[in-house]
Amino acid sequence: MQSHPNVRAVQDSLDTAQARDGSGAPATVRLLPDAVHTAAAAAEALGVDVGAIANSLVFDADGAPLLVLTSGAHRVDTAGLATRLTVTRLRRATPHFVKEHTGQVIGGVAPVGHPQPLRTLVDTALDKYDEIWAAGGVPQAVFPTTYAELLRVTGGVPTDVA
């Protein structure tokens, strides 16, 4: 699985950005024994608080992709976010839309490793964790990082998304 093209793309993006984990070591994609399609499943597999999981949610914002990296501890307030972004319609993207814009499937969408950079918002709630975990391109892959690193490597904007 480490040789899966999505995992390689994510690791290449992390390496290029010289991304770090919570200890300052290079961020490395890790493979879990089983797929973790939800924040709760990822948290359980990793032995961390569900809030330390950075869910990668792709939205269709008036036809353009919007990546929202949100804490696994809560949901995105789509109506409030649409108003703040002055978007007419903000809705969860279809699996086809997600794959088209990220090259990855729902349940494994990483913050990086996409064919083109995506407009990205990073949930400010993730800032309270010394280390956070994000998907690594497939449902079995994850990588550790920090809030500051997530902002830096994605070019994301800190946002209260709940």
Side-chain angles (χ1 to χ4, degrees):
M1 185 60 67
Q2 192 73 22
S3 64
H4 190 284
N6 290 354
V7 174
R8 281 197 313 271
V10 171
Q11 189 62 61
D12 288 349
S13 292
L14 294 171
D15 292 346
T16 298
Q18 298 181 339
R20 299 288 179 227
D21 66 18
S23 72
T28 303
V29 176
R30 300 179 192 176
L31 296 177
L32 299 173
D34 298 305
V36 288
H37 292 281
T38 66
E44 183 176 334
L46 294 164
V48 300
D49 187 274
V50 72
I53 303 298
N55 278 335
S56 297
L57 304 176
V58 179
F59 290 89
D60 179 335
D62 290 340
L66 173 68
L67 178 61
V68 178
L69 304 174
T70 186
S71 168
H74 56 76
R75 294 190 172 271
V76 173
D77 173 8
T78 54
L81 194 55
T83 299
R84 283 184 276 150
L85 296 173
T86 63
V87 173
T88 305
R89 191 169 87 178
L90 183 67
R91 61 187 171 118
R92 288 294 288 267
T94 65
H96 175 77
F97 188 92
V98 171
K99 178 93 169 162
E100 176 185 356
H101 292 286
T102 68
Q104 302 163 1
V105 297
I106 292 173
V109 174
V112 296
H114 312 134
Q116 299 294 321
L118 299 177
R119 179 180 183 190
T120 303
L121 305 179
V122 182
D123 189 352
T124 55
L126 291 166
D127 191 28
K128 72 179 184 177
Y129 297 95
D130 293 333
E131 186 165 73
I132 55 180
W133 291 84
V138 296
Q140 302 91 315
V142 294
F143 69 91
T145 189
T146 66
Y147 181 73
E149 283 292 271
L150 199 55
L151 287 169
R152 185 179 70 79
V153 301
T154 64
V157 175
T159 308
D160 178 5
V161 302

